[in-house]
């Protein structure tokens, strides 16, 4: 009776050493523990620091596993194409990380503030509030009333609620909109890399 090897290949993996093994890019399971260990130790590729991400296929993995045992049965429960990126280990420069974080925060704050101000100017929110205040209270607005205060507080709370993130505290267990967008962007990049690899090999390429 042949052994069955179950694979769950990840769509993208980052490694910190040049030699890439099957255990780095996939979860491997087999009742035959000896065969499972041999499969995990299969070397997929060797990468250089300046090399582009490696694009692999489950067919390549199947061929390498069958070279160990031609009778083995393979079940892939994960991706059919995968990407491996090599990033050598280096010491984290904490000051540099804080500087980059601060720069992004300042840039986001200024950009968001500018967008809000231009929207308020386009919609003429100040004049709208002044007319509402005058119609309700019967006197002219000085530009600093309960309407402006409520609007500012509501805008702040709305932004915090939308982004679902206050420092390390999340209001709900759902992923934040930024996390969702970054995941969608990462998926699009992975698909583009894989599709470009197929186009270049077939002689059809847009670059």
């Amino acid at each position: 009776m042949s052994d069955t090897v179950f694979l769950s290949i990840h769509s993208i993996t980052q490694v910190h050493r040049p030699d890439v093994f099957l255990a780095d890019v996939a979860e491997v399971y087999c009742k035959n523990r000896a065969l499972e260990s041999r499969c995990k130790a299969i070397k997929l590729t060797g990468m250089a620091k300046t090399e582009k991400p490696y694009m692999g296929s489950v067919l390549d993995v199947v061929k390498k596993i069958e070279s160990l045992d031609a009778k083995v049965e393979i079940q892939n429960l994960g991706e059919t194409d995968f990407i491996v990126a090599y990033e050598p280990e280096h010491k984290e420069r904490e000051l540099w990380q804080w500087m980059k974080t601060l720069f992004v925060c300042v840039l986001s704050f200024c950009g968001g503030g500018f967008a809000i101000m231009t929207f308020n100017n386009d919609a003429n929110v100040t004049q709208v509030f002044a007319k509402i205040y005058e119609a309700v209270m019967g006197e002219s607005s000085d530009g600093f009333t309960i309407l402006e205060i409520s609007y500012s507080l509501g805008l702040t709370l709305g932004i915090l609620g939308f982004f679902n993130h206050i420092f390390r505290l999340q209001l709900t267990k759902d992923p934040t909109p930024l996390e969702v967008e970054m995941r969608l962007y990462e998926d699009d990049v992975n698909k583009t890399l894989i599709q470009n690899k197929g186009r270049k090999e077939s002689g059809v390429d847009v670059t």
Side-chain angles (χ1 to χ4, degrees):
M1 182 177 180
S2 61
D3 294 310
T4 302
V5 176
F6 295 92
L7 300 176
S8 180
I9 301 178
H10 311 303
S11 60
I12 184 168
T13 305
Q14 185 180 75
V15 296
H16 301 290
R17 56 177 184 270
D19 293 332
V20 181
F21 300 92
L22 182 57
D24 296 324
V25 304
E27 295 179 31
V28 183
Y29 173 77
C30 181
K31 287 185 178 180
N32 186 335
R33 296 303 180 183
L35 179 59
E36 177 183 315
S37 299
R38 291 169 61 196
C39 290
K40 288 182 177 180
I42 292 176
K43 181 178 178 180
L44 298 180
T45 186
M47 303 183 67
K49 182 178 180 180
T50 56
E51 189 176 349
K52 293 181 179 180
Y54 168 77
M55 268 74 72
S57 170
V58 68
L59 294 178
D60 300 327
V61 176
V62 169
K63 291 176 183 178
K64 290 179 180 293
I65 294 177
E66 287 182 343
S67 66
L68 297 178
D69 186 348
K71 296 181 180 180
V72 67
E73 183 179 344
I74 303 168
Q75 294 286 341
N76 178 38
L77 307 177
E79 301 292 333
T80 56
D81 298 291
F82 59 93
I83 300 173
V84 182
Y86 171 49
E87 180 67 29
E89 286 187 299
H90 53 78
K91 294 182 179 179
E92 292 187 4
R93 292 176 289 183
E94 189 172 348
L95 178 61
W96 175 242
Q97 296 295 332
W98 276 105
M99 289 176 62
K100 291 194 295 184
T101 302
L102 180 62
F103 173 75
V104 172
C105 290
V106 171
L107 189 65
S108 301
F109 178 80
C110 294
F114 183 77
I116 292 172
M117 288 187 291
T118 53
F119 168 78
N120 290 340
N121 186 62
D122 291 341
N124 207 351
V125 174
T126 304
Q127 186 176 351
V128 172
F129 282 170
K131 288 183 177 181
I132 294 175
Y133 186 83
E134 186 176 356
V136 175
M137 304 301 295
E139 58 184 23
S140 299
S141 170
D142 60 359
F144 189 72
T145 66
I146 187 63
L147 292 175
E148 284 79 14
I149 296 173
S150 301
Y151 177 73
S152 300
L153 293 176
L155 187 63
T156 302
L157 294 176
I159 291 173
L160 293 177
F162 174 76
F163 284 101
N164 188 28
H165 207 286
I166 306 175
F167 298 103
R168 294 186 178 182
L169 175 64
Q170 283 190 243
L171 303 179
T172 67
K173 295 182 180 180
D174 296 331
T176 66
L178 287 178
E179 290 174 334
V180 173
E181 289 300 321
M182 290 301 297
R183 177 61 62 187
L184 292 174
Y185 172 76
E186 183 181 275
D187 291 341
D188 289 341
V189 170
N190 295 345
K191 290 178 182 177
T192 301
L193 289 172
I194 293 172
Q195 289 173 358
N196 283 350
K197 178 177 180 290
R199 283 171 173 257
K200 289 177 181 178
E201 289 182 348
S202 62
V204 179
D205 186 23
V206 294
T207 58

